[in-house]
Amino acid sequence: ADRVSIYQPSVHPQHPLASVRLSNDTESGLPPGIVTLFDTTAGPTVYVGDAVMGTLPQGEKRMLSFALDQKTKVDQTSNSESNLISAKIVKGVVEMQSLTRQTYSYTVKAPANEDRMMVIESPRHFDMELKSPEAATVELTQDAIRVPLTVKAGETGKLDVVWERIDNQSLTLSTLDLNSVLYYAADTRLSEQQRAAFQKVAELKQDIDRIDGEIANANAERDRLYEEQKRIRDNLAAVPEGSDLQRRYLATLATQEDRLIALEQKVTALQNERATAAKALDD
């Protein structure tokens, strides 16, 4: 049995739990039940608390917590960062590699007259690699890792738990939206030549967007004219033959037909221009 203090931030954000770590080195398992704990380290036997223990098979360990260790204070901070470590553009495909690092920092202040054998429970990341401390020195639970830390009386101990992951990302320049292209064109993590490539792509995409806008406006005007012509034809059926109003309606229809022809020609020219611009982007 080893006396330890286990820090579990989900139980208390600043104080660890006074605990005992049991190792069953007997030749048989122990049944579950209530464990009554006594401390004899100071001389006389002192009752310190009760704990609930599950079945403890031969050769296994259990952590029994019995009280809040208010003499010991733990401060925890966390930081997550992602940094681009490499990037290259090959035949219109951008290949980027980023390093994501998650750091948990713990500061433990021990009591003035007592050493503390700490066990720091820190989140476990299944999609990342533990870089510090060494994996061989930690104990794994279902969703956390347990890291030992010894702090002398009156001193402050520090521990950093660092997880890392390398992410690979491939982007096709021609299919990226304009906002993404502009973002990378201004990304100082990329080389000047790479940013210039993104800027060139942005200019070509802006040209295509301009043409698409003109096509949309022309089609919208055409649709309005179709609706207007339908209204005029309905009115023509109700006005007298040869009347001034009939002649005015017919003149309006003729003007609209001329405009529709011009719009069709404009759309055709814009579609050809767009095809040229799209080819320039693909090239």
Side-chain angles (χ1 to χ4, degrees):
D2 295 317
R3 180 76 176 266
V4 298
S5 289
I6 180 170
Y7 175 66
Q8 296 175 310
S10 60
V11 177
H12 197 281
Q14 285 191 316
H15 297 294
L17 293 171
S19 309
V20 171
R21 180 167 51 202
L22 291 182
S23 300
N24 186 4
D25 58 2
T26 69
E27 296 180 356
S28 63
L30 299 177
I34 301 299
V35 179
T36 300
L37 302 169
F38 299 90
D39 186 3
T40 60
T41 56
T45 300
V46 178
Y47 165 79
V48 293
D50 295 320
V52 179
M53 183 181 74
T55 302
L56 182 53
Q58 178 186 5
E60 292 195 9
K61 297 180 180 181
R62 290 289 184 271
M63 191 79 72
L64 304 181
S65 298
F66 57 87
L68 193 66
D69 181 4
Q70 297 186 357
K71 297 179 181 180
T72 306
K73 183 179 179 182
V74 183
D75 290 321
Q76 175 195 352
T77 60
S78 63
N79 178 60
S80 180
E81 58 181 349
S82 181
N83 296 305
L84 185 68
I85 55 178
S86 69
K88 61 181 179 179
I89 304 176
V90 181
K91 295 183 179 180
V93 176
V94 185
E95 297 178 358
M96 293 186 291
Q97 198 172 66
S98 299
L99 175 65
T100 299
R101 179 182 290 112
Q102 176 70 51
T103 304
Y104 299 95
S105 298
Y106 302 91
T107 302
V108 180
K109 175 64 175 176
N113 301 315
E114 300 177 30
D115 296 343
R116 276 296 180 265
M117 183 184 295
M118 297 291 302
V119 174
I120 304 294
E121 194 166 280
S122 186
R124 181 179 179 183
H125 293 265
F126 292 91
D127 62 338
M128 304 179 81
E129 179 183 359
L130 181 62
K131 304 300 290 186
S132 178
E134 294 183 4
T137 64
V138 307
E139 177 186 350
L140 301 179
T141 69
Q142 185 175 358
D143 56 2
I145 65 170
R146 289 176 174 175
V147 187
L149 176 66
T150 300
V151 185
K152 295 294 184 180
E155 295 184 2
T156 298
K158 294 186 178 182
L159 172 70
D160 287 335
V161 177
V162 181
W163 297 85
E164 289 183 355
R165 181 184 67 240
I166 293 180
D167 298 310
N168 296 294
Q169 186 179 22
S170 293
L171 306 171
T172 303
L173 276 172
S174 60
T175 58
L176 276 177
D177 63 85
L178 180 58
N179 287 335
S180 297
V181 174
L182 290 171
Y183 169 81
Y184 288 114
D187 192 342
T188 56
R189 299 176 303 172
L190 301 176
S191 69
E192 183 177 348
Q193 186 180 9
Q194 290 168 342
R195 294 199 302 273
F198 275 105
Q199 183 60 44
K200 179 62 176 177
V201 170
E203 293 170 359
L204 294 170
K205 281 184 172 289
Q206 287 170 330
D207 193 31
I208 292 175
D209 286 351
R210 173 191 60 79
I211 297 171
D212 285 341
E214 292 186 24
I215 291 175
N217 290 336
N219 287 332
E221 183 180 354
R222 180 199 60 193
D223 293 342
R224 288 195 299 270
L225 288 174
Y226 283 151
E227 289 295 321
E228 182 65 17
Q229 284 190 327
K230 182 178 180 301
R231 184 188 68 83
I232 292 175
R233 289 192 178 95
D234 290 342
N235 290 340
L236 275 173
V239 299
E241 187 74 23
S243 64
D244 289 343
L245 188 55
Q246 183 192 48
R247 286 191 290 273
R248 194 166 74 185
Y249 281 150
L250 291 173
T252 301
L253 284 174
T255 301
Q256 289 176 340
E257 283 298 320
D258 290 341
R259 179 57 182 164
L260 285 171
I261 293 172
L263 286 172
E264 290 294 337
Q265 293 173 343
K266 180 179 181 180
V267 169
T268 299
L270 286 171
Q271 288 173 339
N272 292 333
E273 184 180 355
R274 191 193 189 286
T276 301
K279 184 178 184 304
L281 175 59
D282 288 339
D283 290 343

